[in-house]
Amino acid sequence: MLTILAAGSMFFPGLFLLSKQCLKSIPALRWSEGDAVIVSARLVSSIQAVMASSAGYIIASSCEDILEDQHWLTSAYIVFAVPYFMYDIYAMFMCYWYKLRVKGHEEASAAPQNMSTAMSSYLRREFLMVLHHVVMVTVCFPVSVFWRQGKGDYFQGVLFMAELSTPSVCLGKILIQYKQQHTLLHKVNGALMLITFFICRVLLFPYLYYAYGRYASIPFHMVPLSVPWHCNLGAALLMAPQLYWFSLIFRGAVRLFTGSSRSRRPGATKERQADAGDAPTPPANGYSTRPSEPETAAH
C-alpha cells in the first residue's frame, strides 16, 4: 500500500511540473508561468479522470456478483488516487493565484498581493470544493479501503466512472479563462458537459440504488429502507454538492444557448468592459453563480 501511495504522490505533482515546464519551454508555445500553471492543472485533472474512469469500467465489468465479487484494482486505485486530491487543492490555489495575473485580466490590479491574503481569499471562495477534497481523503479513503471489508467493488467501480464528466469540465474552464465563449467548441463542449455531468454525477446515485434493488430483488422505492442508514447518509452527502454544481452548470448552459444574441447587441462589449471593474472574480474551480456571465460551470 505504501508503495502505491508513494507512486501516486510522485505521479500527479510530477505530471503537473512536467506539463508546466513543457508548455513554458517548447519553442512553438513559450507560455507564461501563469498560463502554463492553469492549463497544466486542467490537464492533470483530465488525465486522472480518464484513469479513474478506465479503472472503474474494468472493475464494474468484471464483477458478476455486485456485492461479493472483488477486483484488485479497486483498492489499488483508491490508494494511488488519494495524493491527487491533496495535490489538487494546491493546484487549484495556484490557478487562483495566477488567473488574476493573466495578461489583460481586468482585475489584475485588485489581486491579493501576498500568499497569506490570497490563501484566505481562496479558502473562502473555494470552501465547498476544498471541503469535498478533504472529505475524500479523510472519510472516503478509509471507508473504501478498510471499512468495506472487500464488499461492493462493483459500486466503487461505478463511482470511479463519475469522473467521465471531468475532461469536458476542464476544457470549459480553459475556454472561459481565455475568453473563448463565442466559439463553437465552447458551445459543443458546454452541451457535452451538461449531459455527462447529469448522467455521471446526478443519475449515478439513483442508478446505484436501482442496481442494488435488482440484485436484492426488491422494489426501487424500498431500497433506502433496506440498506444501512449510513449508506443513505453517505450517498446523500456525496450527492448534495453534485446537485449544487449541476444547478450552476445548467444555469450557465441556459445563458450560453439563450443569451448569445443578447451578447452581440451594439454596445454590449463596452458595457461589459465598463462593469468589469465591479465584477467579482470567477471561482478557481470554474463554477459561477453570477447570472450575468455566459459561463458554464466546471469541476
Side-chain angles (χ1 to χ4, degrees), residues 178-198:
Y178 296 105
K179 297 178 172 55
Q180 298 300 307
Q181 294 95 320
H182 62 284
T183 62
L184 177 61
L185 175 60
H186 180 68
K187 292 185 177 181
V188 172
N189 184 71
L192 180 64
M193 178 168 56
L194 181 69
I195 294 169
T196 57
F197 199 97
F198 179 69

Side-chain angles (χ1 to χ4, degrees), residues 141 163 228:
F141 165 65
E163 293 290 339

Side-chain angles (χ1 to χ4, degrees), residues 168 171-173 175-176 179-195 249 252-264 294-296:
S168 60
L171 178 57
K173 293 179 185 178
L175 293 174
I176 290 172
K179 297 178 172 55
Q180 298 300 307
Q181 294 95 320
H182 62 284
T183 62
L184 177 61
L185 175 60
H186 180 68
K187 292 185 177 181
V188 172
N189 184 71
L192 180 64
M193 178 168 56
L194 181 69
I195 294 169
I249 292 176
V254 169
R255 293 195 299 272
L256 177 65
F257 291 106
T258 63
S260 57
S261 60
R262 218 172 29 247
S263 65
R264 294 194 188 100
E295 294 187 3
T296 52

Side-chain angles (χ1 to χ4, degrees), residues 43-272:
L43 177 63
V44 174
S45 293
S46 297
I47 291 175
Q48 193 282 140
V50 172
M51 294 173 64
S53 301
S54 300
Y57 176 78
I58 293 170
I59 295 165
S61 60
S62 70
C63 294
E64 295 183 5
D65 187 312
I66 65 173
L67 199 61
E68 299 294 338
D69 283 358
Q70 299 181 14
H71 194 288
W72 66 269
L73 190 55
T74 308
S75 295
Y77 192 79
I78 292 172
V79 174
F80 180 76
V82 162
Y84 165 78
F85 292 99
M86 302 310 298
Y87 143 81
D88 199 45
I89 293 175
Y90 164 79
M92 287 192 302
F93 170 71
M94 295 308 297
C95 289
Y96 177 76
W97 176 256
Y98 281 111
K99 73 189 299 185
L100 297 178
R101 291 159 175 78
V102 173
K103 183 178 180 181
H105 198 289
E106 297 89 346
E107 296 183 17
S109 60
Q113 297 302 310
N114 59 76
M115 282 290 184
S116 60
T117 303
M119 179 62 74
S120 177
S121 175
Y122 161 73
L123 291 175
R124 287 195 304 269
R125 186 179 295 272
E126 307 298 337
F127 175 77
L128 183 58
M129 184 62 73
V130 172
L131 178 63
H132 171 266
H133 280 41
V134 170
V135 168
M136 292 297 291
V137 174
T138 60
V139 178
C140 294
F141 165 65
V143 167
S144 298
V145 174
F146 303 110
W147 182 81
R148 286 191 310 115
Q149 298 181 337
K151 293 184 180 294
D153 280 20
Y154 172 84
F155 296 101
Q156 191 66 59
V158 174
L159 286 169
F160 284 163
M161 288 192 284
E163 293 290 339
L164 275 171
S165 63
T166 299
S168 60
V169 169
C170 290
L171 178 57
K173 293 179 185 178
I174 294 174
L175 293 174
I176 290 172
Q177 179 68 31
Y178 296 105
K179 297 178 172 55
Q180 298 300 307
Q181 294 95 320
H182 62 284
T183 62
L184 177 61
L185 175 60
H186 180 68
K187 292 185 177 181
V188 172
N189 184 71
L192 180 64
M193 178 168 56
L194 181 69
I195 294 169
T196 57
F197 199 97
F198 179 69
I199 294 174
C200 298
R201 292 181 179 266
V202 176
L203 291 185
L204 169 72
F205 295 95
Y207 171 76
L208 293 177
Y209 277 76
Y210 164 77
Y212 180 80
R214 186 177 59 180
Y215 171 80
S217 299
I218 57 177
F220 175 77
H221 67 276
M222 293 297 295
V223 174
L225 302 177
S226 305
V227 300
W229 66 269
H230 45 264
C231 293
N232 290 321
L233 177 62
L237 292 176
L238 288 173
M239 188 175 183
Q242 309 304 328
L243 289 173
Y244 169 70
W245 288 324
F246 177 74
S247 71
L248 300 184
I249 292 176
F250 181 79
R251 282 152 51 188
V254 169
R255 293 195 299 272
L256 177 65
F257 291 106
T258 63
S260 57
S261 60
R262 218 172 29 247
S263 65
R264 294 194 188 100
R265 61 186 173 84
T269 302
K270 292 182 179 180
E271 289 174 9
R272 285 197 299 272

